Amino acid sequence: MNPKRRSRDEAKEMIEYYIIKNKLEPHSKLPSERAMCNKWGFNRTTLRFAIKRLVIEGKLYQIKGSGTYIKEPKLIRNLQDLKALSEIAKDKGLKLTSKVVSFDIIEGYKEVVQKLHLVLGHKIYVLTRIRYIENEPTAIEMSFLDYERFKGLDKYDFSKASLYSIIEDKYNVTIERGKEKVGISYATDHESQLLNIKKNQGVFYLSGVIYDNYDTPVEYIKSIIRPDKIGFSSILRREKG
């Protein structure tokens, strides 16, 4: 390995080890760059590269003129788990809240009706919410649902109520499975304002369909997600034979 690369990796590992060893909490301040260089024998350029890597990975953040701080850990979603975002946040001891941006009824267009196995022009509910983790805007979620199947859904306050709980408890629909795709996109001006990020900043774009126990589509979902707040994982299995 290139000695320069090794030094950068070592510096990154030393910072991470320092955080773990000292049990530093989110928003704790790290020692100054000079102090860390003196402590571990790295030059300033190497240390700054390591810090930059950790900032990109969402583990640190910097305040100009103040220093380097530990960032709140990302919420990791398992793509093979159908848990709602609210359940995942609760499991991690994080506070998740929602704000309803709009709740409209539209005539279904080609993309949506194909996903929901309906016909063109069929009435569709479109619920758009901003999801906050620890009061930070984290994701924009758009849920498309069959108006005829879920008549009266718009009377519920989904800034407080769980969409899946209402679907299961009030409409006797059992959510069984889902199919999702994750890609990379760039935030529009409107999306960047809602998520409090820069325009054209890289974001995750998630789309998918949720099915009931009769394999009928229940919801078509689109999400714009901040990658510094949420990450994704999956379990890989090797086929035998």
Side-chain angles (χ1 to χ4, degrees), residues 18 25 116 136 151 183 209 236-237:
Y18 177 86
E25 297 290 329
L116 293 177
E136 281 285 321
K151 275 186 178 178
V209 180
L236 301 179
R237 291 187 175 89

Side-chain angles (χ1 to χ4, degrees), residues 92-151:
K92 298 294 183 182
L94 299 172
K95 177 185 175 185
L96 184 136
T97 54
S98 302
K99 176 183 176 182
V100 175
V101 177
S102 60
F103 200 168
D104 301 317
I105 301 169
I106 66 168
E107 289 188 359
Y109 50 91
K110 185 177 179 181
E111 176 191 7
V112 175
V113 297
Q114 282 182 342
K115 298 295 184 182
L116 293 177
H117 297 179
L118 301 171
V119 297
L120 278 174
H122 191 94
K123 284 185 178 180
I124 303 289
Y125 278 123
V126 186
L127 170 63
T128 304
R129 293 176 290 176
I130 304 174
R131 310 287 253 168
Y132 296 81
I133 294 177
E134 298 294 320
N135 299 316
E136 281 285 321
T138 299
I140 303 167
E141 288 186 354
M142 294 179 67
S143 298
F144 300 82
L145 303 108
D146 180 353
Y147 171 83
E148 294 296 332
R149 188 178 189 186
F150 299 108
K151 275 186 178 178

Side-chain angles (χ1 to χ4, degrees), residues 8-19 30 36 40 46-62 68-72 74 228:
R8 290 171 173 177
D9 289 342
E10 287 175 357
K12 179 175 175 287
E13 289 172 5
M14 288 302 296
I15 295 170
E16 292 180 297
Y17 177 71
Y18 177 86
I19 293 169
L30 289 180
M36 287 191 282
W40 297 317
T46 297
L47 185 76
R48 284 179 175 171
F49 182 90
I51 290 173
K52 184 178 179 181
R53 282 272 305 277
L54 290 168
V55 169
I56 291 171
E57 290 176 11
K59 296 175 181 177
L60 300 177
Y61 67 95
Q62 293 179 301
T68 304
Y69 297 82
I70 300 166
K71 199 164 190 178
E72 291 275 359
K74 287 185 185 181
D228 61 325

Side-chain angles (χ1 to χ4, degrees), residues 109-230:
Y109 50 91
K110 185 177 179 181
E111 176 191 7
V112 175
V113 297
Q114 282 182 342
K115 298 295 184 182
L116 293 177
H117 297 179
L118 301 171
V119 297
L120 278 174
H122 191 94
K123 284 185 178 180
I124 303 289
Y125 278 123
V126 186
L127 170 63
T128 304
R129 293 176 290 176
I130 304 174
R131 310 287 253 168
Y132 296 81
I133 294 177
E134 298 294 320
N135 299 316
E136 281 285 321
T138 299
I140 303 167
E141 288 186 354
M142 294 179 67
S143 298
F144 300 82
L145 303 108
D146 180 353
Y147 171 83
E148 294 296 332
R149 188 178 189 186
F150 299 108
K151 275 186 178 178
L153 192 66
D154 50 349
K155 72 181 182 182
Y156 296 98
D157 180 3
F158 289 108
S159 65
K160 298 174 183 176
S162 162
L163 177 61
Y164 288 178
S165 293
I166 295 297
I167 285 173
E168 292 192 316
D169 296 342
K170 304 298 182 181
Y171 293 89
N172 298 315
V173 173
T174 301
I175 293 172
E176 184 73 22
R177 68 179 184 91
K179 184 166 60 177
E180 293 180 323
K181 294 190 300 183
V182 179
I184 302 296
S185 186
Y186 299 93
T188 64
D189 188 41
H190 180 61
E191 291 164 351
S192 64
Q193 289 178 27
L194 293 178
L195 291 176
N196 194 26
I197 57 177
K198 293 179 181 178
K199 183 181 178 181
N200 293 324
Q201 182 171 317
V203 292
F204 287 126
Y205 173 72
L206 182 147
S207 63
V209 180
I210 305 300
Y211 298 86
D212 65 16
N213 55 326
Y214 296 103
D215 219 28
T216 301
V218 173
E219 175 195 27
Y220 174 46
I221 188 169
K222 295 181 182 180
S223 297
I224 300 295
I225 299 167
R226 284 178 55 171
D228 61 325
K229 296 294 182 183
I230 294 180

